[in-house]
């Protein structure tokens, strides 16, 4: 029994087993898009599907890259603030030592 498929209930959902689309004979030549081979259409469909599946992965990678760059910048900023604080502390200690030495020499 050969069952003919309809648009709502196709005989198969596998594009390789579907009949190729043909251009109706009553249309003028050049008005319709050219016939596409099933293999090419299937390859492009699979390739597009693969690319679409990889989009979230690429977005996640870009997002992680941005987060890592922000974290690195934050660490550098914290290190700079700490270094400046330590430098000021060292300068104050140096001034106290000079004052103490000056006071010792004066007396």
């Amino acid at each position: 029994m050969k069952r003919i498929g309809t648009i709502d209930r196709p005989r198969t959902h596998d594009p390789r087993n579907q009949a190729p689309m043909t251009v109706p004979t009553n249309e003028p030549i050049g008005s319709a898009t050219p016939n596409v081979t099933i293999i090419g259409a299937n390859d492009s469909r699979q390739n597009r599907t693969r690319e679409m599946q990889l989009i979230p992965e690429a977005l996640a990678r870009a997002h992680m890259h941005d987060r890592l760059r922000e974290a690195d910048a934050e660490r550098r900023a914290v290190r700079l603030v700490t270094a400046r604080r330590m430098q000021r502390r060292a300068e104050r200690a140096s001034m106290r030592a000079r004052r103490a030495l000056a006071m010792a020499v004066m007396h």
Side-chain angles (χ1 to χ4, degrees):
M1 179 177 142
K2 186 171 182 178
R3 202 179 90 195
I4 297 174
T6 63
I7 291 175
D8 292 333
R9 295 182 187 277
R11 191 176 79 212
T12 176
H13 290 286
D14 188 3
R16 287 174 288 192
N17 294 337
Q18 291 175 358
M21 290 180 61
T22 57
V23 180
T25 56
N26 58 355
E27 282 199 26
I29 294 179
S31 67
T33 57
N35 284 345
V36 177
T37 61
I38 297 299
I39 294 168
N42 193 33
D43 285 349
S44 70
R45 184 175 293 127
Q46 286 225 324
N47 195 18
R48 185 170 60 240
T49 301
R50 197 173 302 121
E51 286 172 7
M52 290 176 85
Q53 285 174 345
L54 294 178
I55 286 173
E57 192 175 323
L59 284 172
R61 240 194 315 275
H63 190 69
M64 282 300 297
H65 181 71
D66 288 346
R67 292 289 139 319
L68 286 171
R69 201 171 51 219
E70 286 175 11
D72 190 37
E74 183 71 24
R75 278 194 296 272
R76 277 185 301 207
V78 167
R79 276 198 302 256
L80 181 64
V81 167
T82 304
R84 285 186 177 157
R85 189 181 305 132
M86 297 295 278
Q87 182 181 6
R88 284 194 301 268
R89 189 179 293 170
E91 286 171 357
R92 282 196 302 268
S94 172
M95 289 301 287
R96 277 197 303 273
R98 279 186 181 177
R99 249 187 255 118
L101 184 62
M103 293 294 272
V105 169
M106 283 175 52
H107 286 116

